[in-house]
Each structure stands twice: as C-alpha cells, then as structure tokens.
Amino acid sequence: MEKDKRNIFLVDDDMTNLMVGKKVLSDAYNVFTLNSGEVMLEMLENIVPDLILLDVNMPEMDGHEVIQRVKSNTKTAHVPIIFLTALRNEEMELKGLSLGAVDYITKPFSAPLLLKRIAMHLLLQDQKRELANFNHYLTHLVDEKTKTVVELKNAILSTMAELVEFRDAITGGHIMRTQKYLKAMLDAMRVYGIYKQEVDSYNEDLVLQSSQLHDVGKIGVRDSILSKPGKLTPEEFEEIKKHTTFGEKVILRLKEKTMDIDFLEYARVFAISHHEKWDGSGYPHGLKEESIPLLGRLMAIGDVYDALVESRPYKQAYPHEKAVAIILEGRGKHFDPQLVDLFEKIHMEFDKISDEVAG
C-alpha cells in the first residue's frame, strides 16, 4: 500500500468485476477488493477508506443494507459511496441516493468514466473538508474577537465600578460582594423554582456583570456627602437618593452609543430600582410589590445585607445573625416575601461571601 495514494474499497460478489476494477484503479489508488458487505464492514474496523465502490445486488447483505450500516457509524459516515449496478432502475437509484450514496455507475463500467467519477467525488470531499476547516477557523476567529470585546467591556465595567468605590471609600468591596450575593440568590431561585419563567429568561453572565453598575450614580454625588464621617442630615439623604436617577441617566446615555442593549438594560434596572421597597416606601419612584423589577428586589437584599454587616463611620458592623434577623423582619415591608424566604434558606452563603471578600 502506497502512502501517497488514496484508499478505495471495491465491494462486489463477482470476482471478475473485482479483478477488472482493481486493474483499472490500481495505478491511481490503493484498491482493497472485498467480496461481500460483511467483509467490508469488518475491514472498516481497521481502515477508513477515502471512497467506497459498492455493488447494489449482493447475496445475504445487499448494498442498501451496507450503506445504512456505514452511514450510521460516525467514524465512517463521511465516506462517499458510489453504487455499482448492472441494471438501471430509477426507484432503486432514488433509494440509494436517499440512503447517502453520492452517485451510481452502471456495470460493465467505462474505465475513463469510472476514474473521472471517482476523482470528482474525492475532489468534492476534499473541498467539503477544506470548507469545514475554514468554517472552524472562522468560528475560532470570531470567538477570539468576541472574547477580546467581552474582556474589554469587563475591564471598562470594572474600572467604572472601582471609580465609584474609590470615591465612596467607606464601601470597599461592596460591588464584588453584592455581585456574589446576587449569584447565590439566582442559583437558589433556579433550585427552588422561584420566579422561574423570568429567571430562565435572563442571560446570567450579563446580569452579574451589569450588577456592578448599580451604584454608578454615586459619581454624581458630592464628595462631602459620600465621605461624611457621620449620619446624613435629611437634606443630605435627599441628595444621595439622587444617585439612582443619575445612575439611570448615565446608563441611558451609554445605551444611545452602543448596540449592547440587553447588558445596559439590566444595568439600568439595577441602578434605578435597588432602593425601592415592597411596601412602596422606597425611592426614587415609590414602586410597590411586583411593580418593582425583580432584579431591583434581588439587589435590595444583597445591598442591605452588605450595609448591615460592614462597618460604617456612623455604625459598627452587625454580626451576621443580627443582619439576618433585620432582613427577615423586613419581609413584606422592605423586601419581597418570597425572596426573604429564599434568603433564610441560604443566608450562610452570604456570611461566607462576606468573610471571603474583605472591605
């Protein structure tokens, strides 16, 4: 067997046809002559040919049964099969083509025609392989470009989030922790089937990335308020409440300049709604119950928990148990009752996150 030649199986129960076929083809190809479909299927265990010439009318296992076996095996399904037949029968040819044959050649065959048909189908197979490789390369290229764009977007996002935390130095680590609290809640919602239809509709990667912008509006709040070492006056609190609407404006401005609408819509919802309360006493719009977007209701729990367990100039950090008790007390008032019940089930995960991500 010559390594630089293509391998062809010639399958026919007629010894004369095998001898003639091998004589015609041997100069150009490595020809394996096989006298039955069973023998060919055994040979396929060791050698996968470049093309099969298969007699239709054979005893015991005819060509139609053989091709079905070849095409059902993922190892050999790609191999082109040309049927050899002594009779022209339209119904039989249609059946063979429907099973995966690429061509029919009538016996006794013309040597030049046989060689030409084989060369044509091998060329088509090569072109299909090259196209598949090219498509794979293009897919890889697109994936790499997409990865680069995503990494750039994440870098910009993280930088914006860090800018907020740099200005609001008392809340170091807050953005990362709330992102992790959010993921813990989303994971648990899938387990327990809470708000299943809406959660299933989310692109979770984008939701988690965009949650980093929930406090982006703080870049519009005066340093003297953000950094005040004490409790805010009512006037100052009204000023800091504006970070929700300012954050929404920043994100809407970004939406005008990009095609990444889903990502920024999640960010907008987080920014504008994470201080709304279930009983309608929150801000900026006083939304009530399920009129508050689910993402806002989720962030409210993580945001408040983090504020409770972390130190502030005006308060010491509360122990985890006290923070949990305060959130449970807010069930149906500050927080969505279903989400509070879920938080109660997984609150130790919040404690773990708080310990891992230092402020």
Side-chain angles (χ1 to χ4, degrees), residues 243-260:
H243 81 276
T244 53
T245 52
F246 186 74
E248 182 182 45
K249 287 177 183 177
V250 169
I251 294 165
L252 288 174
R253 184 69 62 86
L254 289 173
K255 283 181 74 172
E256 294 173 0
K257 303 177 185 299
T258 181
M259 298 292 290
D260 205 348

Side-chain angles (χ1 to χ4, degrees), residues 128-178:
K128 284 171 62 177
R129 190 179 299 109
E130 287 175 10
L131 181 60
N133 290 338
F134 184 64
N135 285 338
H136 178 74
Y137 169 74
L138 286 180
T139 300
H140 175 72
L141 195 62
V142 169
D143 288 345
E144 286 297 309
K145 291 292 184 184
T146 301
K147 181 182 176 183
T148 300
V149 171
V150 170
E151 288 174 350
L152 177 61
K153 181 180 71 178
N154 288 341
I156 294 171
L157 194 63
S158 297
T159 300
M160 291 180 68
E162 288 169 6
L163 176 62
V164 173
E165 289 202 332
F166 177 77
R167 294 195 67 238
D168 189 8
I170 62 173
T171 59
H174 170 74
I175 290 173
M176 184 179 292
R177 286 191 298 273
T178 52

